[in-house]
Amino acid sequence: MCTAATYLTDHFFFGRNLDYERGFGERVTVTPRSFPLPMRHLNEVTQHYAMIGMASVQAGYPLYYDAVNEKGLCIAGLNFVSSAVYRPCPAEGRGVAQFELIPWLLGSCAGVDEACRLLEGVCITDDAFLPGLPPAKLHWLLADRRRCVVIEQTADGLHIYDDPAGVLTNEPPFPLQMFQLNNYAQLSARPPENRFSPALPLRAYSRGMGAMGLPGDLSSQSRFVRTAFTRLNSASGTGVAEGASQLFHILGAAAQQRGCCVLEDGACELTLYTSCCDADTGVYYYTTYDSGHVSAVDMHREELDGAALISYPLDDVWQVRLQN
């Protein structure tokens, strides 16, 4: 299970938690402009926008979980196991394999509006990347600083939904996630009035009572509501440090701790990493479950006109800065 969110100050930030029981050798990966992107059903893309994100590199190809391109367009794929439906490539029309979608959109488009036009008439196909590696069932949060949308392909076709909450988790389909926010319309960051005993303000009892009823469990729907509330009420100053730190805290409200979500086989799901892309500067910040600090890779410090992937292993070592 996963959570993704956008956050806009004087910079545009985009990030996600990746929640799973194990990693797949993911690395922070830069795809430069001349790295060839073969396509199963379309022409190979040989020149495209550069991008950076978290990917599992398999057979020399970046299988991105989330990424941002040099124009500030961001995307993250989140598990959508019960509802995602992929199909064979239609005889007429355009087919894009599930694993091609992120590099194809980021390589081709400078913004959300352009990406939505590119997706018109597209079918996300069920092609396996390799034998024994079937397509992951996902839906996607796609955003720039002006617009945020959700991409889903279900039994009745491909849908693109505007996302005013700027948040996405897993199941159910996005319209149902948004509808559930109606059940929490009374929540507020401000203290409520004690109508039964006006002489005893509730703030004297406890701070934070305006959010009474905010769900705290780890289910997808509860994480969606909690992250939407936290994001809506977040206040940040200007600058990269405050904005990126705030997005890490927004996503931290939905993070999963080891041992709290036990699966059928006894394994525990946890937040393997949290990312925060500064879409304005091309810097990819991240933390891992065990590291305890923020690491970063700057896309623009790499040779972006090259043709070879650049990737960095995750900094996953606990570090403490002693002050005495």
Side-chain angles (χ1 to χ4, degrees):
M1 306 302 243
C2 304
T3 305
T6 66
Y7 191 59
L8 181 63
T9 60
D10 57 335
H11 284 242
F12 175 57
F13 300 97
F14 181 97
R16 63 94 54 81
N17 294 336
L18 188 130
D19 304 330
Y20 210 64
E21 63 269 27
R22 59 176 292 259
F24 294 90
E26 51 272 2
R27 302 164 66 97
V28 181
T29 301
V30 178
T31 299
R33 300 179 186 118
S34 298
F35 178 81
L37 296 173
M39 305 288 290
R40 295 292 174 90
H41 308 289
L42 299 174
N43 293 330
E44 180 178 79
V45 180
T46 56
Q47 290 293 318
H48 50 78
Y49 295 128
M51 63 197 80
I52 184 172
M54 193 71 75
S56 174
V57 178
Q58 301 289 333
Y61 187 91
L63 300 173
Y64 276 111
Y65 307 170
D66 55 270
V68 58
N69 72 9
E70 61 184 296
K71 296 296 183 179
L73 180 64
C74 307
I75 191 169
L78 290 82
N79 270 352
F80 194 44
V81 174
S82 298
S83 301
V85 176
Y86 307 138
R87 297 183 174 86
C89 185
E92 296 183 1
R94 295 182 299 156
V96 175
Q98 172 271 328
F99 61 86
E100 297 170 341
L101 186 69
I102 289 180
W104 181 61
L105 289 178
L106 294 191
S108 306
C109 303
V112 170
D113 292 346
E114 189 178 349
C116 290
R117 290 191 295 269
L118 186 64
L119 285 167
E120 291 177 2
V122 164
C123 172
I124 301 176
T125 69
D126 56 3
D127 296 86
F129 177 68
L130 291 171
L133 191 59
K137 291 190 173 184
L138 306 174
H139 58 174
W140 296 266
L141 187 68
L142 177 72
D144 58 27
R145 66 168 39 245
R146 298 175 183 84
R147 188 181 177 193
C148 179
V149 301
V150 172
I151 304 166
E152 295 180 347
Q153 186 167 288
T154 54
D156 58 348
L158 183 70
H159 302 277
I160 300 175
Y161 303 103
D162 279 297
D163 182 357
V167 174
L168 185 64
T169 55
N170 309 103
E171 298 282 354
F174 179 71
L176 295 177
Q177 294 193 32
M178 280 297 295
F179 184 79
Q180 287 297 317
L181 292 180
N182 293 315
N183 294 330
Y184 302 93
Q186 79 283 1
L187 299 184
S188 173
R190 298 185 178 278
E193 177 186 353
N194 190 342
R195 294 180 295 167
F196 297 101
S197 181
L200 182 62
L202 288 175
R203 64 179 177 272
Y205 173 68
S206 175
R207 294 180 177 179
M209 293 188 70
M212 287 284 287
L214 182 67
D217 62 83
L218 298 178
S219 67
S220 297
Q221 188 63 73
S222 293
R223 286 184 285 105
F224 181 86
V225 173
R226 192 162 65 252
T227 306
F229 175 84
T230 307
R231 176 186 178 275
L232 178 66
N233 291 288
S234 287
S236 174
T238 60
V240 173
E242 290 192 15
S245 174
Q246 189 71 354
L247 181 54
F248 276 117
H249 284 292
I250 292 168
L251 291 168
Q256 298 203 38
Q257 293 75 38
R258 183 184 286 119
C260 294
C261 178
V262 180
L263 307 179
E264 290 81 358
D265 62 0
C268 294
E269 183 170 275
L270 67 153
T271 299
L272 296 175
Y273 74 83
T274 300
S275 65
C276 172
C277 310
D278 183 343
D280 295 344
T281 63
V283 178
Y284 187 92
Y285 301 93
Y286 71 92
T287 63
T288 67
Y289 191 89
D290 292 317
S291 67
H293 63 273
V294 177
S295 301
V297 178
D298 185 344
M299 173 169 61
H300 294 286
R301 292 191 175 192
E302 306 297 339
E303 176 48 67
L304 295 185
D305 285 323
L309 287 180
I310 306 130
S311 65
Y312 293 88
L314 296 193
D315 185 354
D316 199 28
V317 178
W318 173 259
Q319 298 180 37
V320 177
R321 188 178 70 175
L322 293 175
Q323 290 191 280
N324 63 357

